[in-house]
Structure formats: structure tokens, C-alpha cells
Amino acid sequence: MITLALSKGRIFDETLPLLAAAGIEVTEDPDKSRKLILATTRPDVRVVLVRASDVPTYVQYGGADLGVTGLDVLLEGGGQGLYQPLDLQIAACRLSVAVRADYDYASAVKQGSRLTVATKYVNLSRNFFASKGVHVDLIKLYGSMELAPLTGLADAIVDLVSTGNTLKANHLVEVERIMDISARLVVNQAALKLKQAPIRRILDAFASALPQS
Ligand code: ATP
Ligand code: PRP
């Protein structure tokens, strides 16, 4: 049995075409049931639904053989011991710094002010601001980062941006682009050895379904 860990939502939705290229169709709709283990048209392949930030943990400890997870999750601290063979080029977005439209970020940085930054990505943010020589106090949040500058909780946020609609709707502006993000295939190292042939078939099918980069 090959177990693939996915998170509900964009990762699940955007992985389906890649699975189709590997001849695998998920036979249950995660939005219509509370099931966490989903069967596929291949009796030897199943999908488990976990939280996005738990995908690397499931794969690392063998709860799943393979998984699809954002580069943001891997770099923030979830990538240890995982084989990361493919950039799947899905769930594309960027990690950025944003502030209220009326906040002068450039001047604050220039003057060497200490910034309060709210984010789910404390490790990535610490490294980014340290590399710029900007002093920051980090506040860890688990979601709705955009609210922090609006309520006075923070001067800035570090969050994912795709269309920019969420920032716009909350009168925030993007002031720095930290890095581009996309989803990666991650593989358990032991599974890669023990289940080499079926995993290799899935990897090859995914790779050939990707646009050439
Ligand atoms: P958790 O439930 O663990 O808090 P989450 O709610 O952030 O995770 P999703 O919103 O499904 O989970 O995001 C999963 C991944 O999709 C992220 O790790 C990121 O790589 C990518 N992603 C997040 N937001 C966007 C977006 N707006 N556009 C494109 N990709 C995104
Ligand atoms: C992500 C991110 C932003 C939004 C950006 O949230 O945290 O809030 O997407 O996308 P946009 O630039 O296209 O508006 P998501 O939709 O995943 O919600 P959640 O993380 O709060 O579940």
C-alpha cells in the first residue's frame, strides 16, 4: 500500500490532475464526507487528509509514504529528513512583508526602528529581518495575520500573497517580497527504498505532467 498525505483545499484540488497523470483517481469527495482516509481507483494507493502543516510530520515518521506540502511549511521547520524530489509548481504564491497603507515602512527601516511583526512564519521572518539588519519583535499567530496591523497588534506582517486580494480588502500593501513559494512532493526515505518501484512510478508520472521549467 502507498499512502499519500494531502491537505484539504488548494493542495488536494491542485494535486488531483497530477494524480490523474499517474492513473490515480480519488474516488471520494473530501468535501462530502468526514472520512480522513480516501480510497483511489488504484487498490494499492490511498490518500490521507491531514492539516497542511502536519504533512511533513506524517511523511517523516512513516504515517504516509509521500506528501504534498508548501515550501513555506518545509522552510519554516518541517523539512528534516525528507526526500524532496519535485517542485510541483502548484499552490504558487509568495512570502511577503505587508503593512498598513498609511505606514511608512521604508522610513522605519531606514531609521533603524524596532518593528513588531506578526506572522505564522517566525523562523523565516527572523532570518529575513536578521539578514537585512532590521530589529524585530515577532508575534506568533496561527491565521488572519492581516488583522494584526489593523488592530495595532503589529507594525507589519509576514504572510503568503497570491492575488493580493486579501491585502487589498484589508487596506494593506506589500512592501517586500521575501521568496516565491510552491508546493513540493516529499517522500519518506525508508519508503523510497522499500517501495521503490511503485513510488518511482508515481514520481515519474508527476514529473512528466509538469510544465517544463
Ligand atoms: P494549516 O491548516 O496547517 O494552518 P493552511 O490553512 O495555511 O494550513 P492552506 O491554506 O490550505 O493551509 O495552504 C496550504 C499551502 O498552500 C500553504 O502552505 C502554501 O504553500 C499554499 N498557499 C497558501 N495560501 C495560498 C494562496 N493564497 N495561493 C496559493 N497558494 C497558497
Ligand atoms: C492565504 C494567506 C492570505 C491569502 C492570500 O490564506 O494566508 O491570507 O491566502 O491570498 P490572496 O493574495 O490571493 O488574497 P488562505 O486563503 O489559505 O486562508 P487561511 O490560511 O486563513 O486558511
Side-chain angles (χ1 to χ4, degrees), residues 8 10-11 51-53 70 72-73 91-93 120 160 162 181:
K8 252 182 167 177
R10 55 173 66 84
I11 296 277
R51 264 192 89 154
S53 44
D72 49 321
V73 175
C93 53
K120 183 162 131 183
L160 301 174
S162 172
I181 300 287

Side-chain angles (χ1 to χ4, degrees), residues 10 93-94 120-121 142-146 159-167:
R10 55 173 66 84
C93 53
R94 55 195 184 269
K120 183 162 131 183
Y121 302 99
Y142 293 88
S144 301
M145 262 74 79
E146 294 83 3
D159 194 13
L160 301 174
V161 180
S162 172
T163 60
N165 290 340
T166 310
L167 292 182

Side-chain angles (χ1 to χ4, degrees), residues 3-207:
T3 302
L4 171 68
L6 297 176
S7 53
K8 252 182 167 177
R10 55 173 66 84
I11 296 277
F12 181 86
D13 298 344
E14 296 185 31
T15 302
L16 289 184
L18 296 173
L19 284 171
I24 301 165
E25 231 177 280
V26 182
T27 51
E28 288 157 302
D29 180 349
D31 295 328
K32 293 201 177 121
S33 102
R34 301 283 300 165
K35 275 192 186 177
L36 297 174
I37 300 181
L38 308 179
T40 75
T41 44
R42 283 256 306 269
D44 62 331
V45 179
R46 64 180 184 172
V47 168
V48 292
L49 295 175
V50 304
R51 264 192 89 154
S53 44
D54 289 336
V55 167
T57 308
Y58 267 82
V59 177
Q60 185 184 350
Y61 294 106
D65 301 303
L66 307 152
V68 177
T69 187
L71 180 64
D72 49 321
V73 175
L74 293 170
L75 295 180
E76 182 58 22
Q80 302 87 347
L82 295 173
Y83 176 50
Q84 300 176 28
L86 283 180
D87 177 352
L88 299 176
Q89 302 170 41
I90 58 171
C93 53
R94 55 195 184 269
L95 185 72
S96 293
V97 182
V99 297
R100 273 166 62 143
D102 58 4
Y103 181 82
D104 192 347
Y105 174 79
S107 298
V109 167
K110 211 166 156 196
Q111 286 163 17
S113 307
R114 203 173 174 91
L115 302 184
T116 304
V117 178
T119 185
K120 183 162 131 183
Y121 302 99
V122 285
N123 294 325
L124 286 169
S125 301
R126 189 181 301 109
N127 293 341
F128 173 71
F129 287 109
S131 74
K132 280 177 65 80
V134 174
H135 295 288
V136 290
D137 292 314
L138 294 165
I139 298 180
K140 166 88 183 183
L141 291 178
Y142 293 88
S144 301
M145 262 74 79
E146 294 83 3
L147 199 54
L150 305 180
T151 53
L153 183 71
D155 301 312
I157 60 170
V158 169
D159 194 13
L160 301 174
V161 180
S162 172
T163 60
N165 290 340
T166 310
L167 292 182
K168 208 165 165 191
N170 293 290
H171 311 291
L172 301 179
V173 290
E174 188 177 5
V175 287
E176 301 235 37
R177 196 175 171 131
I178 301 177
M179 67 176 72
D180 288 329
I181 300 287
S182 55
R184 308 297 157 115
L185 186 69
V186 292
V187 185
N188 176 280
Q189 306 260 16
L192 188 62
K193 293 196 189 100
L194 295 170
K195 305 179 186 179
Q196 198 173 9
I199 289 181
R200 192 46 69 189
R201 268 200 298 278
I202 294 174
L203 290 188
D204 291 346
F206 277 23

